[in-house]
Amino acid sequence: MIAEGLSYEDQLQNYQLAYQLLKRKLRTSYVSQLIKSINLPEIRDIHRSIHQGESPSSGLLPAIEAIPQVRESMLYISLFASLYRSASPVDITTEMDVPAIIFAWDFFCETFPNHIRERRPYGKVRPANFSEAWVVAQALKIGLAALHYCKSCHGDHIVIYNSKFPPTCQVCVIDQLRKRENTPGLR
C-alpha cells in the first residue's frame, strides 16, 4: 500500500502509477486500494480523462474462481502467471509486484493482440483484461492460486483452488483428451 503524507516527488510518482494502471483500465477500486494518496473520485476523474469521458467499469469485481470458464482458459492464465513470476524479482506469493504485472500484461497483449477483450462476451483467452490479470496476481499472493511445475510436459501450470478444474496440469489433460479423440476405438 502507498501511504499518505508524501513528498511532492512521491505524489507525482503515485499519479504516474495511477495513470499507468488506469490506462490499462484497471478497476478504480483496485487503484484506490493501492494508492491511498489519491481519493476514489479523483481516480475516477483520471480514468475519464484518459479514456475520453468513458466512465470506469462498475459492478462486481472479478473472482479468480470465475475467470476460467473453459479448460483452454487455464492455459492462458498459466502463461500470464508464468510471465508475471518470471518478470518479478520478488516472491509473488508474498507481495504483488506492480511493474511486473504491467510488464507481463503488456507482453501477454502483444502475444495475443486480437484476443483481448475489455468487456463481455470473453473468449477462451483469459485473463481478458487488466483487472483479471490483477486478480490472478492477487490470487497468487494470497494463496487462492499457485503455479506448479509439471514433470510430464515440463511447463508451469496454475492451480486455482475452489475452481471447477482439478489441480492438475491442463496442458497434459488437453493433450490426453486429444489423443483419446484421435485413437480409433476409444471414442
Side-chain angles (χ1 to χ4, degrees):
M1 300 297 167
I2 300 172
E4 292 186 25
L6 303 172
S7 70
Y8 183 69
E9 287 180 11
D10 289 339
Q11 289 176 7
L12 286 175
Q13 288 176 350
N14 282 350
Y15 278 98
Q16 175 61 23
L17 178 58
Y19 171 78
Q20 289 299 322
L21 298 172
L22 293 169
K23 177 174 79 169
R24 291 166 178 83
K25 295 191 176 183
L26 181 63
R27 297 285 293 265
T28 54
S29 57
Y30 292 136
V31 177
S32 155
Q33 289 170 6
L34 180 69
I35 305 172
K36 299 289 186 192
S37 63
I38 307 173
N39 63 39
L40 188 54
E42 189 173 2
I43 290 170
R44 289 181 181 136
D45 289 342
I46 294 169
H47 182 281
R48 279 189 283 278
S49 69
I50 292 170
H51 300 289
Q52 292 84 34
E54 179 185 324
S55 292
S57 295
S58 60
L60 294 173
L61 296 173
I64 188 66
E65 302 86 12
I67 292 174
Q69 293 297 312
V70 295
R71 191 177 305 278
E72 289 84 356
S73 296
M74 294 291 283
L75 306 178
Y76 295 103
I77 296 169
S78 295
L79 174 62
F80 171 78
S82 186
L83 287 169
Y84 169 49
R85 184 182 62 194
S86 296
S88 179
V90 302
D91 180 2
I92 62 169
T93 63
T94 60
E95 63 183 287
M96 288 182 62
D97 183 346
V98 176
I101 297 169
I102 292 171
F103 174 84
W105 176 248
D106 289 349
F107 188 84
F108 188 81
C109 289
E110 288 174 20
T111 306
F112 304 105
N114 299 321
H115 298 286
I116 306 302
R117 297 202 179 122
E118 295 171 11
R119 300 202 189 280
R120 296 183 190 281
Y122 300 128
K124 291 180 182 179
V125 178
R126 303 299 280 273
N129 55 55
F130 191 58
S131 291
E132 285 188 357
W134 191 267
V135 169
V136 170
Q138 267 185 336
L140 291 167
K141 177 188 176 263
I142 62 176
L144 295 176
L147 265 176
H148 294 281
Y149 178 77
C150 177
K151 293 178 182 176
S152 296
C153 71
H154 305 288
D156 291 329
H157 66 94
I158 196 162
V159 171
I160 299 175
Y161 304 109
N162 299 321
S163 164
K164 66 181 182 181
F165 298 103
T168 58
C169 177
Q170 299 304 316
V171 171
C172 292
V173 171
I174 289 171
D175 189 45
Q176 289 169 358
L177 291 171
R178 285 187 182 146
K179 286 178 182 174
R180 203 175 306 152
E181 288 175 1
N182 293 331
T183 304
L186 290 181
R187 291 182 192 186

